[in-house]
Amino acid sequence: MNHRAVVESSPLNGLSDRFGRRITYVRLSITDRCDLRCVYCMSEGMRFLPRNQLLTLEELARVGRCFNALGVTRLRLTGGEPLVRRNALWLFEQLGALPTLQELTLTTNGTQLARAAAALKAAGVARVNISLDSLRPERFRAITRGGVLQKTLAGIAAACAVGFERVKLNSVISASRNQDEVLDLARFAIAHGIDISFIEEMPLGDSARRAEVYSSTQIRRTLEQALALLPTDERTGGPATYFRVAGTASRIGLIAPHSHNFCADCNRVRVTAAGQLLLCLGHTVAVDLRRVLRAHPGDDERVKQALVAAMALKPWGHQFGHTDAVAVTRHMNMTGG
Ligand code: SAM
Ligand code: SF4
């Protein structure tokens, strides 16, 4: 393994891990609930956490404030479906007002955006990712176990209309469900002047479903038959490679969650809706922030100390493809995508 020299973290220089990676980006899952039940994300009879196990909106705001005080400049709110949480807008307003936050973003299935987009924009949300795996109503209904395509399309239209800095579609592609829509989805994004990322499905620990993986190499080949993809050197510290589409305003991302070449640039951690700080998506190692928050009400210094100390536990890289990849069996609505 290509480990860097081990370095110490200190509250003075913000959040950095043992390998010298600075943590500036946090994904905060604000609920495990959702109005859809996408087949690759949730089981059919999904059980959700009792409410008292979820962080309250005030606790979530406090987590965001402490991270920001330690140099985190980008926060992405996700879930579950973040916009089904009651009063979620209040949280966006709190986080959007943080003094040194550079970017507040949202990942959503879009069903609530027709009503919420303008208020989110006003709260300071800069960019929105909207999940869309099919443009065919019946297929959309099957993938989401009951969702109505028109609602998500109306959400996309509202997001485009209010003028977020960027709107991006996320499409999870699988060999057996929707690989034949890759070009249609790309053309839909281009027609709307927005971006799209194609995501390889993560089989969530079920090896029987590995056969359904449609690789980003295959997706790229399909796209290149019809579109001129121009490489960009844009990196996000995550597993995405981006291309510009010649002659359009759109960018296309290819996300291969299993690829092993991005850990060196990892700049992120995640917090689950129950307040578990996940240091790497491919490991079970976690810190119970909810316990710290509730043991020290009103004492942000203790929370910040816990965050700084937690960084020492961040593993070098993920273990997808290895037999001990226990964390991969976590459902996506728990880890926050
Ligand atoms: N509900 C919101 C949404 O659907 O965008 C936010 C949460 S969702 C868990 C975040 C992202 O994770 C979505 O783009 C979804 O498609 C993706 N996702 C969920 N399960 C996945 C899986 N097994 N493999 C790859 N991506 C997955
Ligand atoms: Fe809900 Fe998003 Fe998971 Fe679909 S991917 S079930 S919309 S949380």
Side-chain angles (χ1 to χ4, degrees):
M1 266 193 276
N2 181 22
H3 288 185
R4 288 181 190 161
V6 170
V7 294
E8 296 290 324
S9 184
S10 107
L12 293 177
N13 59 14
L15 293 176
S16 49
D17 72 1
R18 289 175 296 153
F19 309 106
R21 295 174 296 192
R22 291 186 67 79
I23 306 307
T24 54
Y25 178 33
V26 175
R27 291 194 186 198
L28 207 49
S29 174
I30 72 166
T31 177
D32 61 336
R33 281 152 226 260
C34 187
D35 53 344
L36 302 180
R37 294 286 184 280
C38 301
V39 289
Y40 48 73
C41 176
M42 294 193 182
S43 60
E44 197 148 18
M46 198 72 192
R47 296 238 192 143
F48 297 107
L49 291 169
R51 279 194 195 282
N52 65 357
Q53 290 191 24
L54 297 180
L55 294 190
T56 63
L57 292 177
E58 289 75 12
E59 287 167 337
L60 285 161
R62 194 175 165 207
V63 168
R65 185 168 75 227
C66 291
F67 269 121
N68 181 233
L70 289 168
V72 166
T73 53
R74 295 168 62 207
L75 280 177
R76 175 172 291 281
L77 269 51
T78 179
E81 174 46 43
L83 300 181
V84 301
R85 176 121 195 209
R86 197 178 308 157
N87 291 335
L89 186 60
W90 177 86
L91 178 62
F92 281 94
E93 287 166 350
Q94 300 299 308
L95 298 176
L98 287 173
T100 55
L101 197 72
Q102 289 171 11
E103 198 175 66
L104 179 62
T105 56
L106 160 71
T107 303
T108 173
N109 62 28
T111 60
Q112 316 293 313
L113 272 181
R115 66 164 177 83
L120 289 166
K121 169 91 174 29
V125 174
R127 295 191 292 126
V128 179
N129 290 355
I130 307 172
S131 295
L132 177 72
D133 302 332
S134 176
L135 291 162
R136 304 178 193 177
E138 275 318 307
R139 184 180 278 181
F140 184 90
R141 188 191 309 280
I143 292 174
T144 58
R145 295 202 190 90
V148 177
L149 174 64
Q150 199 47 47
K151 265 183 147 181
T152 291
L153 294 184
I156 294 169
C160 292
V162 301
F164 290 112
E165 264 167 47
R166 278 207 168 267
V167 176
K168 178 164 78 85
L169 303 179
N170 277 338
S171 301
V172 175
I173 301 298
S174 111
S176 60
R177 273 194 300 273
N178 60 351
Q179 53 85 11
D180 55 343
E181 283 195 76
V182 165
L183 261 183
D184 287 350
L185 287 161
R187 288 191 169 121
F188 176 87
I190 291 166
H192 285 76
I194 59 179
D195 297 338
I196 183 164
S197 282
F198 293 101
I199 306 172
E200 277 177 21
E201 179 179 339
M202 288 203 271
L204 295 182
D206 179 351
S207 55
R209 284 169 55 196
R210 275 190 185 281
E212 297 190 9
V213 170
Y214 193 73
S215 74
S216 43
T217 311
Q218 289 167 293
I219 296 170
R220 181 174 173 178
R221 224 175 278 139
T222 304
L223 291 166
E224 283 179 335
Q225 281 164 16
L227 303 170
L229 300 188
L230 310 172
T232 72
D233 52 9
E234 200 175 330
R235 298 297 309 170
T236 59
T241 310
Y242 287 100
F243 299 88
R244 291 197 167 276
V245 186
T248 78
S250 296
R251 289 177 305 185
I252 294 185
L254 296 177
I255 302 184
H258 296 94
S259 85
H260 272 258
N261 56 11
F262 58 90
C263 298
D265 295 327
C266 184
N267 59 357
R268 61 193 58 189
V269 294
R270 294 171 169 76
V271 180
T272 70
Q276 293 288 310
L277 173 62
L278 304 181
L279 294 146
C280 171
L281 198 50
H283 284 261
T284 46
V285 55
V287 169
D288 187 355
L289 282 185
R290 188 182 64 203
R291 191 188 54 73
V292 179
L293 290 162
R294 293 185 183 174
H296 305 286
D299 186 355
D300 282 3
E301 287 312 310
R302 293 298 290 266
V303 178
K304 286 191 246 173
Q305 281 166 17
L307 294 177
V308 169
M311 294 308 131
L313 303 175
K314 186 168 166 63
W316 168 253
H318 65 52
Q319 303 283 319
F320 296 141
H322 295 228
T323 46
D324 60 349
V326 192
V328 185
T329 60
R330 280 185 295 226
H331 280 283
M332 207 65 165
N333 70 313
M334 292 307 303
T335 55

